[in-house]
Amino acid sequence: MDTIASFFSFITTPVSWVIVQFHTVYGALFGPDTGWAWGLSIVSLVILIRICLIPLFVKQIKATRAMQTLQPEMKKIQERYKNDKQRQSEEMMKLYKESGTNPLSSCLPIVAQSPFFFALYHVLNGIATGKTIGVIDEQLLASARKAHIVGAPLAAKFMDGSDKVAALGATLTDVRIVTAVMIIMMSFSQFYTQRQLMTKNVDTTVKTPFMQQQKMLMYVFPVMFAVFGINFPVGVLVYWLTTNVWTMGQQMYVIRNNPTPGSTAQAAYLERLSKHVTHHGEVRNRREKAIVKAIVAKGRDRNEFERKFVNGLTKAGLTAQADGSVVKTEAGAVAQAEDGTAAVTDTAARRQQPKRQSKAQRQSGGLRAAGDTGTAPEPEPAASLSDSDAGEPQAAAPAAERKAAPKPGSGARSKAQSGQRKGPQRPKSPSKK
């Protein structure tokens, strides 16, 4: 470890200068020789480094999203070469090269902060051996050697002997208990960080080398921290535990607010977003608008969680627009279906459907229609009146004729309605015997 740290000695002076500046501030509050002053100086160094690495973390997220967009192509390659693992790996690497993505991009923050980690290790190792390093002079060296964190000296290690620990003003039991607890917390935080990435923020429908790599790191990194942690000074354990907690919290925030498409985290996020949108009838901020816009743009390529989200808006009488906004759907308006096409909303469909009638209602309705359309009987022509009959009332029609005349509204059909044609009909041809 000392040999590796010597390669990063070029950054030792800046790291030691930052620690001294923070120590000046915290020393005025807690005392220059206390563990609080030196411990908080190391924690502040971690926070400063991680803030500087935020642009790299954003780049890591973008690279991860680019990997997610390639998953349909990866799935096709897996199905095409499922019996040839070597050809499958070659095609995967070719796809990475053409798209400009890298499956190892998740390791970028760890690689970027490695120089600071080894530089801090070099500084604390110098404090443990009583050597001035960087901007830490004799006075600061003596103050750092007196500092204890929960009874363990800042420069003590788990594997140190009792004589060396006694020279630092502590007991071997205190040092080993404190370092063991910190190593366990450091390993657990690393394991939990990788586990939540695998279980919540990965699309499990596609098996890729990226997922296998993350699964391997989930078990390898905690073991590495446990093995190397016994040789880390207490100050380095404080540094690494702080950076692990920062990474865990940062990842929890990203998983909750910007989940990977197709993951369980996306299902939980879209469920929360659907409840808010259906309650308030609008999208809250620009980030949520961007997510809704991306879902609308996918059309038929939406996953099951995104289709469920769109269907939930439709049932609530809302429609997601192409710009990411949400508008209310009017009665009978056309809403967007889950496959990206247009469909009539449920309310409009229910209003357009006629009410079903019973058999008796249909029969009585048919009879009424037949009666209404029946031809009224033509009135009988009035008899011609002669001069002698001009002042006399018209004679009543014979009873037989009155009986034969159809009553209006009786439903009787005329010859034309019964299927016979009007006018003279052609006589039937005589049958040949």
Side-chain angles (χ1 to χ4, degrees), residues 91-330:
E91 293 295 328
M92 287 287 188
M93 292 301 170
K94 183 179 178 181
L95 181 63
Y96 295 151
K97 186 176 180 180
E98 291 176 353
S99 59
T101 57
N102 187 2
L104 299 177
S105 58
S106 61
C107 300
L108 288 177
I110 296 177
V111 174
Q113 67 177 332
S114 295
F116 300 97
F117 166 75
F118 287 111
L120 179 63
Y121 178 85
H122 197 43
V123 171
L124 295 176
N125 190 58
I127 293 174
T129 56
K131 298 178 181 177
T132 59
I133 187 170
V135 298
I136 298 179
D137 53 14
E138 294 289 344
Q139 182 180 359
L140 291 172
L141 179 63
S143 175
R145 289 176 65 87
K146 294 177 183 178
H148 289 66
I149 298 177
V150 199
L154 195 69
K157 306 176 185 177
F158 182 86
M159 298 301 294
D160 285 345
S162 56
D163 296 339
K164 187 174 182 179
V165 172
L168 295 173
T171 62
L172 185 62
T173 303
D174 292 340
V175 171
R176 292 194 172 177
I177 290 176
V178 171
T179 53
V181 171
M182 295 181 71
I183 290 171
I184 292 173
M185 293 175 63
M186 183 176 61
S187 301
F188 174 77
S189 60
Q190 181 65 38
F191 175 79
Y192 183 78
T193 300
Q194 291 297 127
R195 180 173 175 78
Q196 73 174 348
L197 181 65
M198 290 294 300
T199 57
K200 296 183 179 180
N201 206 38
V202 173
D203 187 358
T204 56
T205 59
V206 181
K207 305 295 182 181
T208 63
F210 173 74
M211 293 179 59
Q212 298 297 326
Q213 172 210 356
Q214 293 294 327
K215 188 175 181 180
M216 180 184 66
L217 294 177
M218 182 173 67
Y219 295 101
V220 171
F221 274 168
V223 175
M224 289 177 58
F225 282 120
V227 171
F228 291 109
I230 59 177
N231 293 313
F232 288 165
V234 172
V236 175
L237 293 179
V238 171
Y239 172 91
W240 208 248
L241 178 60
T242 306
T243 193
N244 281 357
V245 173
W246 177 283
T247 303
M248 182 174 63
Q250 185 174 252
Q251 188 166 272
M252 289 176 66
Y253 176 82
V254 172
I255 290 175
R256 178 177 174 82
N257 297 283
N258 193 14
T260 300
S263 62
T264 56
Q266 188 196 32
Y269 176 80
L270 291 180
E271 184 177 357
R272 295 193 304 268
L273 181 60
S274 178
K275 289 180 179 179
H276 172 81
V277 173
T278 53
H279 184 265
H280 295 281
E282 61 180 1
V283 182
R284 285 178 289 188
N285 50 47
R286 192 176 301 174
R287 175 177 51 81
E288 291 180 352
K289 274 192 175 183
I291 292 176
V292 175
K293 181 179 179 181
I295 292 175
V296 173
K298 285 185 178 181
R300 298 178 182 271
D301 295 331
R302 298 175 190 142
N303 56 48
E304 57 176 333
F305 308 128
E306 294 166 346
R307 289 195 295 268
K308 184 178 179 181
F309 172 73
V310 174
N311 291 340
L313 294 182
T314 303
K315 291 179 180 179
L318 300 172
T319 304
Q321 302 297 309
D323 60 350
S325 62
V326 175
V327 296
K328 292 184 178 181
T329 305
E330 299 295 337

